[in-house]
Amino acid sequence: MRQILELLERDAQLSHDTLATMTGIPVADVSAAVTAWEASGAIRRYKAVVDWDAVDGDSTAETVTAFIDVSLAPARGVGFDDVAERIARFPEVRSVYLVSGSQDLRCTVEGRTIRAVSDFVSQKLSTIDRVRATATHFVLKTYKRDGDSFATPDADHRLPVTP
Amino acid sequence: MKPLNSVIAACPPSGIRRFFDIAAEMDDVISLGVGEPDFVTPWRIREAGIYALEHGYTTYTSNAGLPRLRELICDDLATRYGASYDPRDECLITTGVSEGLDLVLRVLLNPGDEVIVPEPCYVAYEPCVGFAGGTPVRVPTRAEDDFAIDADVVAAAITPRTKAILIGSPANPTGAVQPRAALEALVRLAEEHDLYLISDEIYDRLTYDGTHTCLGALPGARERTVLLGGFSKAHAMTGWRVGWICAPQAVAELCVRVHQYTMLCAPHVSQLAAVEALTGPDDDVDAMVADYDRRRRVFVKGLREIGLDCPEPGGAFYAFPSIRSSGLDSETFAERLLHAESVAVVPGNVFGPSGEGHIRCSYATALPQLEEALVRIDRFLHSL
């Protein structure tokens, strides 16, 4: 059953019929499993991986992304959890991880402009109680995201017919 | 001018070549005619090749190939199949299985010797027997039997001139994997008639519904079996041209002799990349095989749904459906399909008379392309 999830993670558009054929699992079982995963939240949702730089003529589609390392003061009983969850609620924040190293949280933040991201950091993030310091790294170019390469795919160099 | 070599002059160009010429001039062709992986060589192997170039491994190697690579190949055969070959004098690195096949046939055959070739089979088998001075003797296999080789049919083709039996399993073009019992029967025949067995196992890692039987590991086979293998298919390394021969010492020694005067050695950089292929983890191979298997299931089911009977291909990356229901011969079918729907397949008759009535479709192509090809083939069938 795990292979159904792996296949859907790579291509959420695969139909239950195709998944059943690919895995040899009866289609009714595939459908039941997917429905159950959707209900339980194991499958959070389905989304497209968009390379916005490749969307021609739509300047509004472009966004600015920044990685923001956050240093926190932990609190008795909750550690970093309460602040991390509070940060995660902001719609600008795409991801939040508790990490090892000199900083405590690593967040991904998206905004329309550099100014928008900067304002978010200075006015919303830095002003949260127990946030000691932030370090902002703007993304200049995306080569790979969540396992998907954004490089131009290699051309198929094979001849059309070979032995 | 004096006449050129009569054997070579009499050999017709491959039927595949003709289809390549037609397809190469067309746009928007979905090609199911490709006999190689659609994956690029895994990055760690490419990196090993780059490292080899950067550090100047641009020289000849020993004629038989890098000792380390030969050791790894023999270890792999021993671990995977229990086949035992000495890397010092029973293993030779070749420039692909194609060279290996040529070498072995030249070493085994004297003029007029016959080689039994079950067909449909890889397009090079028969011509290479001829180039080595031998005579290929075709033995048919049938789709109804999943192209399993019938030892009784082979036995009926044996004459006093028969020297060897040449088989490929898993097979190009049928995807057939020979059952262990069929191979054991061939070994018994070979013992009875004192024949060599030449076993092309280039697709050995690409099997889906069972495990591969290595001919050289069967009881009684070792002293008369020549194993051919390589890196092209499982490691997506077709352009690197690295293959190998494992054979009894007397055969291997003569193979090295021809090789040292003709090819000299396989490319050094490619051999070092092949070392990485065998020393690194198997994840890449496993992932590719799993992907081929998924496409195989979707494609074969799709062929059957549009009305083309298709034997279950247990290995390689080919489906070999019957197109008899169309009323067309395989060459006409392939040519009209190419012109009408821009789908390139290879007519089955180029692989031998038993391939007539079939087409070879490679599913080493992305799933959306396979699905689109099925739509186009279906439309073509309805237009007839």
Side-chain angles (χ1 to χ4, degrees):
Chain A
M1 284 296 180
R2 185 184 173 85
Q3 55 181 323
I4 296 173
L5 288 170
E6 289 168 354
L7 289 166
L8 281 174
E9 199 172 32
R10 278 168 54 184
D11 182 358
Q13 287 196 306
L14 291 170
S15 68
H16 293 185
D17 269 349
T18 303
L19 285 167
T21 308
M22 285 173 136
T23 58
I25 298 169
V27 67
D29 294 354
V30 171
S31 295
V34 171
T35 304
W37 285 321
E38 288 169 351
S40 70
I43 294 176
R44 314 291 290 195
R45 64 196 168 100
Y46 300 97
K47 62 187 284 189
V49 178
V50 179
D51 178 1
W52 288 109
D53 291 342
V55 180
D56 294 332
D58 184 3
S59 58
T60 61
E62 291 175 14
T63 56
V64 172
T65 304
F67 299 115
I68 300 171
D69 293 338
V70 184
S71 180
L72 293 179
R76 183 183 293 274
V78 292
F80 303 114
D81 290 354
D82 58 338
V83 180
E85 284 166 14
R86 186 174 169 192
I87 291 172
R89 285 191 201 104
F90 287 109
E92 297 91 335
V93 176
R94 311 296 294 181
S95 62
V96 182
Y97 303 101
L98 181 65
V99 294
S100 61
S102 58
Q103 308 277 326
D104 301 307
L105 298 182
R106 170 153 290 193
C107 311
T108 313
V109 171
E110 279 184 7
R112 282 266 176 257
T113 61
I114 290 178
R115 178 65 181 269
V117 175
S118 303
D119 288 349
F120 171 77
V121 174
S122 60
Q123 294 170 19
K124 295 183 179 172
L125 195 57
S126 302
T127 55
I128 295 173
D129 282 348
R130 298 190 0 240
V131 168
R132 286 172 170 164
T134 61
T136 302
H137 312 274
F138 283 106
V139 172
L140 304 181
K141 184 173 180 180
T142 302
Y143 295 95
K144 191 174 186 180
R145 193 174 74 210
D146 297 337
D148 290 289
S149 174
F150 280 60
T152 308
D154 291 324
D156 188 345
H157 299 291
R158 297 178 302 167
L159 302 172
V161 180
T162 63
Chain B
M1 299 290 279
K2 292 184 177 179
L4 302 176
N5 179 286
S6 56
V7 173
I8 298 173
C11 176
S14 162
I16 286 180
R17 180 79 221 170
R18 199 171 82 79
F19 272 80
F20 165 73
D21 290 341
I22 300 171
E25 291 186 358
M26 296 177 66
D27 295 327
D28 188 32
V29 171
I30 295 181
S31 184
L32 308 180
V34 183
E36 60 181 317
D38 62 329
F39 298 99
V40 183
T41 309
W43 176 244
R44 64 183 173 83
I45 300 173
R46 280 188 275 164
E47 203 170 37
I50 293 166
Y51 179 91
L53 277 176
E54 284 179 342
H55 288 76
Y57 290 100
T58 55
T59 60
Y60 296 131
T61 68
S62 64
N63 294 129
L66 293 171
R68 171 83 175 128
L69 181 55
R70 285 183 275 147
E71 279 168 17
L72 287 166
I73 288 165
C74 292
D75 283 352
D76 191 50
L77 285 173
T79 307
R80 206 177 293 285
Y81 306 122
S84 164
Y85 290 92
D86 188 331
R88 288 168 300 183
D89 54 13
E90 294 185 319
C91 180
L92 158 70
I93 310 301
T94 59
T95 310
V97 172
S98 299
E99 192 218 349
L101 178 68
D102 184 44
L103 286 183
V104 163
L105 290 167
R106 284 209 257 174
V107 163
L108 293 185
L109 301 186
N110 286 310
D113 283 348
E114 293 175 352
V115 177
I116 293 177
V117 186
E119 53 86 23
C121 63
Y122 181 53
V123 289
Y125 289 173
E126 290 188 23
C128 284
V129 170
F131 295 160
T135 304
V137 176
R138 290 171 178 158
V139 166
T141 60
R142 305 181 329 144
E144 301 80 61
D145 306 328
D146 284 333
F147 298 104
I149 299 169
D150 184 337
D152 291 338
V153 179
V154 174
I158 293 174
T159 74
R161 306 213 67 138
T162 304
K163 192 67 161 290
I165 304 170
L166 166 56
I167 64 163
S169 176
N172 177 359
T174 59
V177 176
Q178 291 302 322
R180 186 182 175 92
L183 296 174
E184 285 171 340
L186 286 184
V187 174
R188 283 195 296 274
L189 263 188
E191 285 180 310
E192 198 179 316
H193 296 274
D194 192 21
L195 305 177
Y196 287 99
L197 293 164
I198 307 168
S199 185
D200 174 358
E201 302 188 17
I202 181 70
Y203 291 101
D204 69 332
R205 301 288 298 276
L206 307 186
T207 55
Y208 308 110
D209 293 327
T211 52
H212 170 74
T213 302
C214 174
L215 193 63
L218 292 178
R222 191 193 177 287
E223 67 269 25
R224 57 183 68 255
T225 299
V226 178
L227 283 186
L228 301 173
F231 295 81
S232 290
K233 312 300 181 180
H235 300 282
M237 292 177 67
T238 50
W240 298 79
R241 312 307 305 132
V242 204
W244 48 260
I245 296 169
C246 281
Q249 190 261 338
V251 176
E253 187 184 323
L254 291 196
C255 288
V256 173
R257 206 172 297 175
V258 180
H259 179 73
Q260 73 182 349
Y261 290 125
T262 52
M263 197 58 70
L264 217 155
C265 68
H268 198 158
V269 167
S270 298
Q271 290 190 58
L272 287 167
V275 166
E276 172 60 32
L278 286 182
T279 48
D282 264 355
D283 304 13
D284 292 319
V285 179
D286 294 343
M288 285 192 272
V289 172
D291 225 33
Y292 289 136
D293 186 18
R294 291 180 199 123
R295 297 181 206 173
R296 175 185 73 113
R297 291 162 183 264
V298 172
F299 188 62
V300 171
K301 179 170 179 250
L303 287 171
R304 290 171 178 167
E305 281 174 356
I306 61 175
L308 297 182
D309 285 341
C310 185
E312 192 68 41
F317 36 61
Y318 307 106
F320 203 60
S322 167
I323 45 93
R324 289 203 178 90
S325 59
S326 70
L328 303 175
D329 64 73
S330 63
E331 197 141 340
T332 308
F333 184 98
E335 195 158 344
R336 284 179 57 179
L337 175 65
L338 182 58
H339 286 300
E341 293 288 351
S342 297
V343 175
V345 298
V346 182
N349 70 336
V350 309
F351 304 101
S354 305
E356 183 49 80
H358 292 261
I359 51 171
R360 189 192 77 175
C361 305
S362 163
Y363 49 84
T365 295
L367 193 60
Q369 294 263 298
L370 291 173
E371 288 171 334
E372 173 62 20
L374 287 167
V375 170
R376 294 190 190 186
I377 295 170
D378 188 30
R379 198 160 55 210
F380 172 71
L381 288 169
H382 280 93
S383 74
L384 294 175

